[in-house]
């Protein structure tokens, strides 16, 4: 498990301009830029989780930071694994 399996999701209405379906197509990048993904999904998720844990730690060290309250709720569940 990469994240806490006991997470409880909070569903909120999407903004009006938010796409309801995200299906990136990388074929154009492959063809026109000769680009290929080099990181597996699992490795990418691990790097992303590590980044947010680190960000949370830095912000938590300064609880006066305006972002702290926002990110505290977002990151706390991941950080407490």
């Amino acid at each position: 498990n990469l994240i806490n399996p006991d997470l409880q999701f909070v569903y909120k209405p999407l903004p009006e301009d938010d796409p309801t379906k995200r299906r990136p197509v990388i074929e154009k990048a492959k063809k026109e830029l000769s680009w290929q993904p080099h990181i597996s999904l699992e490795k990418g998720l691990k790097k992303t989780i590590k980044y947010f844990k680190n960000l949370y730690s830095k912000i938590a060290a300064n609880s006066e930071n305006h972002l702290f309250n926002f990110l505290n709720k977002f990151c706390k569940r991941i950080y407490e694994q």
Side-chain angles (χ1 to χ4, degrees):
N1 291 339
L2 295 177
I3 61 171
N4 181 348
D6 297 325
L7 288 176
Q8 293 186 10
F9 294 95
V10 176
Y11 295 95
K12 296 189 176 189
L14 293 174
E16 287 183 28
D17 61 344
D18 196 59
T20 56
K21 213 180 239 190
R22 289 176 177 83
R23 295 182 60 182
V25 179
I26 62 172
E27 298 308 315
K28 187 173 183 178
K30 287 180 178 181
K31 181 180 175 185
E32 295 184 20
L33 303 173
S34 299
W35 176 85
Q36 290 287 329
H38 297 283
I39 296 177
S40 69
L41 176 61
E42 183 174 350
K43 186 173 182 179
L45 288 173
K46 285 180 180 180
K47 288 178 74 140
T48 301
I49 290 167
K50 182 179 177 181
Y51 169 82
F52 279 104
K53 283 183 177 183
N54 185 40
L55 179 64
Y56 174 79
S57 295
K58 288 178 182 177
I59 292 172
N62 179 9
S63 62
E64 298 298 317
N65 190 312
H66 293 286
L67 290 175
F68 178 75
N69 290 331
F70 170 76
L71 289 174
N72 184 43
K73 291 177 183 177
F74 178 75
C75 296
K76 188 174 183 179
R77 293 178 181 144
I78 293 172
Y79 187 74
E80 291 178 342
Q81 285 186 335

